[in-house]
Amino acid sequence: MKRIKQSCFDYYFLIPFKGIISVVIILMSTSLFAQEAKMVQGTVMSDDGSPLPGVNIVIKNSSIGTTTDFDGNYSISTSPEDILVFTYIGFESQEITVGNENIINVTMKEDFANLDEVVVIGYGTQRKADLTGAVSVVDVDYAKKTMTYDVAKMLQGQAPGVTVQSSGEPGGFVNIKIRGITSFRNNNPLFVVDGVIVEDPYDFATGDIESMQVLKDASSAAIYGARGANGVVIITTKKGKEGKLNISYKTTIGFQNVAKNRWYSLANREQYQQLVRAAETNANDQGLNVPISPGVYPDNELFIDNINTDWQDAAFKAGIIENHSIGLNGGAKKLSYNVNLDYFKNTSYIETPQAYERYSANINLNGEKGRFKYGAKLAYSFSDKENFNEYLAGTSSIINLLQAIPTMPVYDPTRDGGYGGTDGIAQRAITLNIIGYNNLITNENKRNRFVGNIWGEFEIFKGLKYKLNISGDRLNWNTRYFNPPSDLGWYYVTGNAESRLETTNGHITRTILNNLLTYDVTLVDKHVFNLMAGVIQERSDNYNLTARGTGYEPGEIAHFEYADDRDAFERETVETYKSYIGRLNYSFDDKYLLEATFRQDKSSKFQPKNNTGNYFSVSGAWKVHNEDFISLPDWLNTLKLRAGYGQLGNNTIGVYEFALNTNSFANYLFGDDLAPGTTVVKIVDPDIKWEDTETTNVAAEFGMFNNRLQFTAEYFKKKSTDLLANVPIPYSSGSFPIELTTNAGTVQNTGMEFTLSFSDTVKDFGYNISANLGTLKNEVLKIGNNNTPIQDGVGRTEVGRSAGEIYTYQTEGIFQSQEEIDNAPFQTGNTRPGDIKFKDINEDGQINDEDRTFQGTVIPKINFGLNLSANYKNFDFSCFFQGAAGHKIYNATYQNLMLGDLVNSHTDMLNYWRPDNTDTNVPRPVIGDPNGNNRNSNRFIEDGDYVRLQNIEIGYNLPIETKVFEKARIFASGQNLFVITKYNGFDPDFLSNGLFNRGTEFGSFPNPRTLALGVQVDF
């Protein structure tokens, strides 16, 4: 088996790495053909004759560069064909060809108009300096250093107010929220890629992204109306540029594992057997009469002493992650193009076939002829994800792995399927071999997706433009699940009749038609207007067909025709939207800015009387630094104050939820006659309507020390009303489930956000520091008409508190004697010395559900990120720290390892109470846990604060420039190399339901540690 593992490691890791090394050697050898260098020197001054210190001077298409000294002087080694690029904040950049010159003096002109880049906003663009809403511009270069398949994961720690929860499952779901909870249902933001509204952005390659903006308040997102309440992430992919064909290639290959210092400490065979013997003895000593497990008693003929499986060591391996992409860019004014071909694959770090693989292609076309501009986007992706399997819904493969007993082997050729299992007599433990289970079962999800977008813009007359945009998004998916006959132990036997095949084939087709009219005009050189109006129509068609077959013989082909029984069902839905939008931007003398937006949405998800939502926003800004009557200190270059207010909507309900569900086969017996009939299955609220969110935002932006130091401070308040919630109703209603979906909730989020960045260059050394921090306070203001709390596991959502706070019993130590038990509030009739003592919160003399209490918030009060980067000559370095603080985690994984039962345990359980070991906080093990020692309590609550080195990268730009190679870079990177935390589980960043039980870590796949090498070449 070790040889097999090694060969796989060679195939997936060493061989690709050898390929990278070979490419590097070729590139380095090519640099021998570089031309002879010469020294160029000179002085850089401003247009008033003052020397400019710290001007960046680089050779175009390379990282070779320098900076001017205090007197504006510089020197650099170049070749005659080189082009020197001079850049300085607040001044126009210049490009100068070296030629035969040895002295090049440069005069730079101020360029205040280009201090800020143009950013993409809803249905348009705007200078960053003119933004009046809360828009975070993500540094894509930093974000791309996180090697991932999902753009949502890239956002973690990159923008204040954005929180991300993820796991290490290949192709697994990523949970993202912007400025807290705005709905009791879906809180994920809207994603817009190249102007196309998309669901599930993980189908698209992350390497092709050119810019990302996060719209966080109503003044920036109201233009998206009912889609914008949860925030909007706008993604723009690379566009074609005029000029010759440029070809780029990038490859990154790495391996992943779970850091061994984060593994759980599990009992080995002898320790496990000791704990089971103690648990059975304790149970029988108090008269519970449980059968014994012969396999744990040395004097029994069924005693097991030849198997000692370390399940973490058996399961955890090196997973492979790789990404390869080819880009082509070029064209002319009439038609430019950018083509990106991408391949991504991630295999599991568990000894199972689970993996995620994706092929994607993206083509962007742009052109201009006269007054007509046009363009198109064509994107295609195919992905194949092999899912992990749950024996029962709501269970966890990770917890099953950790609970697997050490006396169960991984492989057993005598069992059907060839994998080990437990014996119902010798071991009695109900424990699942997840290695065998996941290798035996096929559970694949294949997706084919095509996104197309074509647009044209015509300038009717100066300033007035009409734009037509037609887009389509077609997703076809196929899921296939096959569970063959197998024997994985006495509880986990899949007989021929239970074996089953289930497939689902479906498609979603979304079409969007945008008609936009914009008008730009400047009056008297000071009054600048931008007006936009439009009509948007959208339709979404959803269809799926599910077929099932049961009853297969071992080795029988997994096709439906071989099943003993077959059935199928299909479902089809249609959604339609129609929206009217409008926006006004006004600027007076580049000092005072005003923006107003309006959007009306109509949706088929609601009754006609409630299907319309009207949303608006207004925001403004004051550029204090442009005022003539205000004199700012020399070190303060820019100061902008801005504020905004607006309303947004949310329609996070399923289709037809306002319509009654009926059962047309509800026959009823009248005497001796069976009469056909129809009955209501689920009671609904026909008057459900949009959820509404209103936001208030104020901010101050500072630019200091020639704008090298940028600082922004922001306050926000976001209140969401009419939230759709499932309110309990009486059993007498006859409804199933016993709840009513209605507009019944109100929640509020407030917080502060800070961003700070500083960059500078000293001779050959340049560096950049950027940091962001966001605070968040969440408060539930209303739940239904009676404010009935929502309980979900250990999470409780109650008015006056944050959503999903931990609500459990409070422990007070361990009972040391029967006398202490007799004098304490009554717990159970089976309480014995060595059991947990729970606190009587309401002091009624007994321990019951009324004694649960709030134990802490699970929503981090603080989220932060820190990016550091530096470059020296041809070397570059960057690292990214990310973290969260001010919250608790309920470690349900650890709870399931402290059962003191027949499954395996954490080694902490060995310190259990016994008469000769009373100074402990670990209760006695006992089969059945009659005192409820393992009930939800503060025993399993831990601090969730953490700081993680999310990414670190070191690169080197090869000194190469020939007719074939324009530039080349090699780099080594690491992700999740260490985490500083008091949390004792695998990972303080885990995936949960993200809402009512957000703080419970229940066997989430830990985020792996990644080491990778890569090469990037431009031709």
Side-chain angles (χ1 to χ4, degrees), residues 801-821:
R801 292 183 173 272
S802 61
E805 287 192 26
I806 298 176
Y807 188 75
T808 67
Y809 291 93
Q810 179 76 31
T811 62
E812 291 188 308
I814 291 182
F815 287 115
Q816 301 295 328
S817 66
Q818 186 61 46
E819 181 182 2
E820 186 181 1
I821 296 172

Side-chain angles (χ1 to χ4, degrees), residues 574-868:
V574 177
E575 300 174 39
T576 58
Y577 298 89
K578 187 173 184 179
S579 304
Y580 300 92
I581 63 175
R583 179 169 60 210
L584 163 68
N585 286 101
Y586 169 69
S587 172
F588 173 71
D589 200 19
D590 200 27
K591 298 177 183 177
Y592 311 108
L593 307 172
L594 174 69
E595 179 176 308
T597 63
F598 174 79
R599 176 162 175 151
Q600 182 183 86
D601 286 317
K602 292 186 177 182
S603 170
S604 63
K605 285 187 173 183
F606 302 98
Q607 288 265 42
K609 63 179 180 180
N610 292 326
N611 72 354
T612 302
N614 296 303
Y615 305 101
F616 74 94
S617 73
V618 61
S619 59
W622 178 27
K623 294 184 179 180
V624 181
H625 57 276
N626 285 341
E627 288 288 3
D628 297 329
F629 65 89
I630 295 179
S631 179
L632 298 177
D634 291 340
W635 55 267
L636 181 59
N637 307 108
T638 60
L639 171 60
K640 185 173 79 171
L641 306 178
R642 54 180 170 84
Y645 171 83
Q647 294 181 338
L648 297 161
N650 206 337
N651 62 343
T652 55
I653 64 170
V655 291
Y656 317 133
E657 283 202 35
F658 62 83
L660 289 172
N661 293 327
T662 60
N663 177 8
S664 58
F665 301 98
N667 301 329
Y668 193 82
L669 189 65
F670 290 94
D672 295 331
D673 298 324
L674 184 66
T678 298
T679 184
V680 173
V681 177
K682 178 184 177 181
I683 295 178
V684 300
D685 178 5
D687 296 321
I688 55 177
K689 58 182 181 179
W690 307 84
E691 299 177 339
D692 292 321
T693 296
E694 63 179 30
T695 73
T696 303
N697 198 89
V698 294
E701 300 177 5
F702 304 85
M704 295 162 280
F705 308 112
N706 290 325
N707 287 311
R708 284 195 174 93
L709 178 62
Q710 301 279 339
F711 176 71
T712 301
E714 197 152 2
Y715 168 80
F716 70 89
K717 178 180 178 181
K718 182 165 67 170
K719 184 178 180 180
S720 300
T721 58
D722 289 328
L723 300 189
L724 292 164
N726 296 325
V727 178
I729 57 178
Y731 285 91
S732 59
S733 65
S735 175
F736 181 81
I738 312 299
E739 59 188 18
L740 176 68
T741 301
T742 186
N743 297 93
T746 301
V747 66
Q748 180 174 279
N749 298 278
T750 57
M752 294 286 296
E753 295 173 357
F754 306 93
T755 60
L756 178 70
S757 66
F758 181 79
S759 61
D760 198 7
T761 304
V762 181
K763 293 186 178 181
D764 293 334
F765 179 74
Y767 62 94
N768 179 273
I769 303 170
S770 64
N772 68 81
L773 183 147
T775 70
L776 179 65
K777 180 183 178 182
N778 172 265
E779 183 179 2
V780 177
L781 303 179
K782 180 185 177 183
I783 305 175
N785 294 325
N786 300 318
N787 288 327
T788 303
I790 299 173
Q791 189 75 39
D792 185 359
V794 302
R796 187 179 180 90
T797 300
E798 184 175 294
V799 169
R801 292 183 173 272
S802 61
E805 287 192 26
I806 298 176
Y807 188 75
T808 67
Y809 291 93
Q810 179 76 31
T811 62
E812 291 188 308
I814 291 182
F815 287 115
Q816 301 295 328
S817 66
Q818 186 61 46
E819 181 182 2
E820 186 181 1
I821 296 172
D822 295 338
N823 293 327
F826 178 78
Q827 294 190 172
T828 74
N830 290 309
T831 304
R832 297 292 186 271
D835 284 335
I836 294 290
K837 181 181 181 181
F838 296 98
K839 186 175 182 178
D840 185 11
I841 298 295
N842 62 0
E843 299 181 347
D844 65 351
Q846 59 181 343
I847 304 299
N848 53 33
D849 284 351
E850 301 302 316
D851 293 302
R852 293 174 298 170
T853 186
F854 287 99
Q855 303 279 1
T857 181
V858 298
I859 299 175
K861 293 181 174 67
I862 298 174
N863 283 277
F864 57 88
L866 173 64
N867 281 297
L868 305 173

